[in-house]
Amino acid sequence: MMMSKNSSRVVICIGDIHGYMTKLQNLWSNLERVIPASDFENARIIFLGDYCDRGPDTRKVLDFLIDLPSKYPNQSHVFLAGNHDFAFAAFVGAIPPPPDGSEFRDTWAEFEASEEREGWYKGYGYQNMHLQGRRWAGKITVRFNAVKGTEYQGSIYDAGTTFQSYGLPHGSPELMKVVPDEHKKFLSNLVWIHEEDNVGIDTEKGMEFCKLIAVHGGLERGKDVEEQIKYLKAKDTRIPKVEPLSGRKSVWDIPEELRKTGTIVVSGHHGKLHVDGLRLIIDQGGGLPQNPVAAIVLPSKTIVRDTDTHNC
């Protein structure tokens, strides 16, 4: 399989990895095989977030991602924060303080009705921890996730496997010390939104060059887009639940004002592969062991999966 020949730089958007190192390695090998070498070596790679939890190898996945810029110096790499990564970062102290001088504990009140059911973390350091860090390292009181049809792994975020990848039991405060500084720096540097102009995409009318916005879940409909972009760029940690990182139906569609301007909006998060015009949702895996991890290659909109086999 070959990508379409054109003058547009190749942009590759990679869906949620969720701790599956073997899937990530196989997907990367398939992308290298499918895309012409010069295009791949100079590609823009946008990782759509959720590197941790569910799968067994969060630590190895972060090592792989951290090493990419030195192994592929002519590529450019964008690492978005997913809701899982934000929560992991919040637990290990790798998110910025609230911009208005407020305390992380101020994020708890809106959701405290869920504290008992979700078993929020109450160990070392919890007194000034963002809500999502407490939820991530907590011990959920129900065992079965009826929506996914799976058992929870430690917390509502299924963070138990991330603790295990660092050699610790779920909820251990030792994780704050054991996570290497380079992993904390990686988590700290994750962006909540990425904007890029002049991204080529094949459409029914031929190749078009559009603005692209990448955000883990999507942008909220019915809310001012510029305001959303502003607080996402600022990484405003006053917000207890960042809807563009963790929302579902509210962020599924392209907001009306962006539809009018022909803007590509690409996300992961939703546990689905959904390509509808300029709305690209690339999360075929959903963190489930039996599902593939997928990527979309622009401008051709080719879908590449870790499970693809190529006959020579």
Side-chain angles (χ1 to χ4, degrees), residues 97-106 128 237-238:
D100 61 353
S102 61
E103 304 280 337
F104 282 134
R105 64 186 302 123
D106 297 337
N128 193 29
T237 57
R238 285 175 298 188

Side-chain angles (χ1 to χ4, degrees), residues 158-232:
D158 298 318
T161 53
T162 295
F163 281 86
Q164 288 163 20
S165 78
Y166 290 94
L168 294 169
H170 177 69
S172 170
E174 289 296 307
L175 190 71
M176 300 173 197
K177 296 180 196 164
V178 168
V179 170
D181 286 345
E182 62 177 359
H183 287 201
K184 289 178 182 171
K185 184 180 178 187
F186 175 81
L187 292 168
S188 171
N189 288 339
L190 297 176
V191 296
W192 291 12
I193 190 167
H194 171 71
E195 296 180 280
E196 188 160 339
D197 292 323
N198 298 316
V199 173
I201 186 166
D202 288 347
T203 72
E204 291 168 0
K205 304 173 192 168
M207 167 89 82
E208 294 191 15
F209 290 87
C210 301
K211 178 170 182 170
L212 177 144
I213 294 176
V215 58
H216 179 65
L219 293 171
E220 285 186 85
R221 61 169 178 260
K223 301 248 177 112
D224 183 80
V225 168
E226 283 308 314
E227 282 298 311
Q228 292 183 68
I229 290 172
K230 184 178 175 184
Y231 83 70
L232 290 166

